[in-house]
Amino acid sequence: MQIIRSTPDMRAIRQDWRQAGGKVVLVPTMGALHDGHLSLVARARDWLDEQGGGRVVTSIFVNPTQFGPNEDLDRYPRDEAGDLAKLRGAGCDAVFLPQVSDIYRPGAQTHVEVAGLGRILMGRLRPGHFRGVATVVTKLFNIAQPDAAAFGEKDYQQLTLIRRMVADLDIPVTILPVPTRREADGLAMSSRNQRLTPEDRAAAPVLARALDRGEALIADGAGVAQARRAIRDILRAEPRAEIRSIDIRDAEDLSRVTVPARPVVILLAVRFGDVLLIDQRVAHP
Ligand code: AMP
């Protein structure tokens, strides 16, 4: 597995790969890898197999511009040695580990903003977050020049926004969505789970239970208000859970819905102590 630590090296290696032939899939991450990230690598491999072969490159970059001033940038978990071992085991071909100074150079004035999708939902809770995401993903696409890139459905709004951005800017990268990988008790795998206290960890599967109920109600023909109330009641019954948002939106474009006529996505953001967990479920009426 190649370890690439700078933008010029990434560009040079991409050039070599182009000459050797085969496609390239990028898996953008912030490290502290778990099995959810590795399912992105597996999806990338499957896509390459369908395409006649190629290389998977995972990027590990804790992107400062997507963290707000009071967010957990400094406390974000980092484990380079562990990450490299996991990626080797998962059959990743290369890892791109740029420095912050390599990605954000002095004097930069340009950013990418998806005006609608970036400002709603989590974009309201975390102003500037999606601008940071869209900008760094564009930069990673320009540096690694992948044919495809894998993104988790766990970060559903992020996935929707990246698809919009790629369409709007004619970026020639195929977006591969990957279902959320979960612990045995239903908790969506997340690097942030490590920071939960044992009590909060025990309480956190309430998100998955609330999503199960919401999905079942929507499938039975419930309206958005009714499903939302039922989800809220389940979350409120868990005293350690502090609800930040419960939204049920159109699964395609995240527009508001009152009576679902086509698939919707249930989006939850719930705090446990100082850890914000998010989870989602697509529900079919
Ligand atoms: P992160 O390192 O948290 O920025 O996540 C990197 C990528 O992994 C994003 O596309 C996430 O949506 C995806 N991801 C994170 N957790 C999971 C999970 N439990 N299952 C599938 N994909 C995930």
Side-chain angles (χ1 to χ4, degrees):
M1 190 172 73
Q2 283 174 291
I3 313 286
I4 308 164
R5 293 195 181 270
S6 77
T7 298
D9 287 352
M10 182 69 243
R11 285 192 186 288
I13 287 167
R14 180 68 182 94
Q15 188 58 27
D16 293 346
W17 291 343
R18 185 165 288 116
Q19 272 153 15
K23 305 235 170 181
V24 171
V25 185
L26 175 67
V27 177
T29 79
M30 298 205 299
L33 302 181
H34 49 68
D35 286 348
H37 297 109
L38 300 185
S39 51
L40 269 58
V41 174
R43 176 74 187 92
R45 268 261 89 81
D46 289 348
W47 186 83
L48 286 169
D49 289 346
E50 291 159 20
Q51 300 286 319
R55 294 169 183 81
V56 181
V57 53
T58 300
S59 60
I60 298 179
F61 181 62
V62 182
N63 175 35
T65 66
Q66 70 190 68
F67 288 81
N70 301 314
E71 291 182 0
D72 54 356
L73 174 61
D74 296 336
R75 285 165 297 153
Y76 200 84
R78 292 166 205 246
D79 175 20
E80 185 181 306
D83 289 348
L84 295 178
K86 285 175 196 158
L87 290 172
R88 257 187 216 103
C92 183
D93 299 289
V95 189
F96 178 41
L97 300 129
Q99 296 294 309
V100 172
S101 57
D102 200 26
I103 297 292
Y104 295 109
R105 287 179 298 278
Q109 300 188 5
T110 309
H111 59 255
V112 180
E113 184 145 19
V114 183
L117 284 168
R119 291 189 192 148
I120 59 173
L121 302 166
M122 288 299 287
R124 283 173 73 119
L125 281 183
R126 303 181 70 188
H129 169 71
F130 287 114
R131 182 169 115 169
V133 169
T135 302
V136 80
V137 168
T138 302
K139 288 169 72 74
L140 291 170
F141 284 179
N142 285 334
I143 295 165
Q145 298 183 17
D147 299 287
F151 290 89
E153 287 174 0
K154 168 158 179 293
D155 298 280
Y156 197 90
Q157 186 177 0
Q158 169 175 283
L159 169 65
T160 309
L161 172 134
I162 297 291
R163 285 177 147 155
R164 183 78 257 159
M165 177 185 87
V166 161
D168 289 352
L169 298 181
D170 303 296
I171 297 175
V173 176
T174 301
I175 303 302
L176 308 174
V178 182
T180 302
R181 188 116 162 220
R182 296 174 182 280
E183 304 288 356
D185 60 10
L187 178 64
M189 290 183 183
S190 166
S191 312
R192 291 195 165 99
N193 294 351
Q194 301 176 23
R195 290 192 21 236
L196 294 169
T197 64
E199 295 77 16
D200 287 340
R201 172 64 190 81
V206 71
L207 272 80
R209 289 202 305 280
L211 290 170
D212 289 344
R213 180 84 184 114
E215 183 184 11
L217 282 169
I218 299 280
D220 283 349
V224 161
Q226 186 193 347
R228 201 176 169 284
R229 267 196 309 276
I231 290 168
R232 188 195 59 197
D233 291 347
I234 291 172
L235 293 172
R236 277 193 183 157
E238 172 47 69
R240 309 192 78 87
E242 183 196 324
I243 301 173
R244 297 303 303 274
S245 60
I246 303 168
D247 291 282
I248 302 178
R249 296 283 180 115
D250 183 85
E252 186 83 21
D253 61 11
L254 303 186
S255 59
R256 288 180 192 278
V257 179
T258 44
V259 182
R262 46 183 208 152
V264 291
V265 59
I266 307 168
L267 301 162
L268 303 183
V270 179
R271 274 176 74 113
F272 291 84
D274 65 351
V275 182
L276 180 67
L277 297 184
I278 62 169
D279 203 352
Q280 55 69 40
R281 180 80 51 82
V282 173
H284 298 260

